[in-house]
Amino acid sequence: MKPLIYPVLAAFSLLAAPLQAEQDQPVVVELFTSQGCSSCPAADEMLAELADRDDIIALALHVDYWDYIGWEDPFGDPAHAERQRAYAAVGGRRSVYTPELIVQGQTDIVGAKPMKLMDAVEKHAEATPRVALAISRSGDAVQIEAEPLATTSEPMHVHMLRYSPMERTKVTRGENAGHVMEHSNVVQDWQVLTDWDGSAPLSLSAKVEGDLPVVVIIQRQEKGGPGAILAAARSK
C-alpha cells in the first residue's frame, strides 16, 4: 500500500504550501459540492486544507440538485447550482456534476485532484493582475475600492458574499448516511452589487450584517454567464 499512500500524502501537502507569486492577489477556488454526493467528502477535505490560506480564497458552494436522492443538504442553494450551470454554458460543457472545482472563474477540475488543482492555482497566481481591489470593513459597512491596471472597457460584475468558516452536520439519510460531515468556508448571501466597465475607478459602500467573513469578487461577464475573475479580496 505504501506506493499508493505516499503520493496522495505528498499531493495533499502541496495544499498547505503558500504560493510564491509575484503579485499580492488571492486566487479564488470555488467547490461545487453536496452532502448528498458520496464522491464529495474527499473534495470537501481538500478545500479545508486551503481554507486558512491568505493567498487563496476557498469557497464551498453547496448545490441542491442531489436533494431528491434521500438527503436535503441544509446549505444547498439553487443559486449555487445556477452559477455552476452558467459556468458550464460559458465553458461549453453539457452537464454539471459534483464535486467540481472552478479556479479563478476559468479552470474546471472534476473531483478531488490536489496536484491538478495546485497546478491551476499556480498558473492563475502568476498572471499579470488587471484590476487592483481593496476592501475595508467598519461595523455593518464594507467599503470597496477598485482601479483598472490596464486600459480596458469590458463588462464586469462586482460580487459580494459571506461564508461560514466551519459547519458540521450529522447526515442520517442518502449516500453519506451515518457520517458527520465537516465543511469549510460555506458560502452564504451571494449577491451582485453592481456592474462596472473598468473605464474609471470604482468606489462604493455595501451593507453587511453579522460577523462572518466577507469576500468581494470582480468578475468578467461573458455572454451567458461568468468569466474570468479579475480580482478578489476578503475581510475576516
Side-chain angles (χ1 to χ4, degrees), residues 4 26 45 54 56 75 91 96-97 141 150 160 163 166 169 189 202 205 213-214 222 226 235-236:
L4 296 177
E45 181 180 349
D54 292 332
I56 294 174
F75 311 113
V96 294
Y97 40 79
M160 187 176 73
Y163 66 80
M166 173 59 68
T169 304
D189 303 329
L202 172 73
S205 181
V214 174
E222 304 286 355
S235 175
K236 294 184 178 181

Side-chain angles (χ1 to χ4, degrees), residues 30 32 83-93 102 105 219 226-227 229:
E30 299 172 67
F32 293 92
R83 180 170 173 83
Q84 187 185 22
R85 292 188 184 100
Y87 270 133
V90 171
R93 299 183 293 277
I102 301 288
Q219 187 166 24
I229 291 175

Side-chain angles (χ1 to χ4, degrees), residues 181-211:
M181 304 188 71
E182 294 186 347
H183 305 285
S184 299
N185 295 10
V186 179
V187 168
Q188 302 178 11
D189 303 329
W190 192 303
Q191 58 182 304
V192 176
L193 295 179
T194 190
D195 297 334
W196 183 47
D197 65 5
S199 61
L202 172 73
S203 179
L204 75 151
S205 181
K207 184 178 180 180
V208 295
E209 296 180 355
D211 58 359

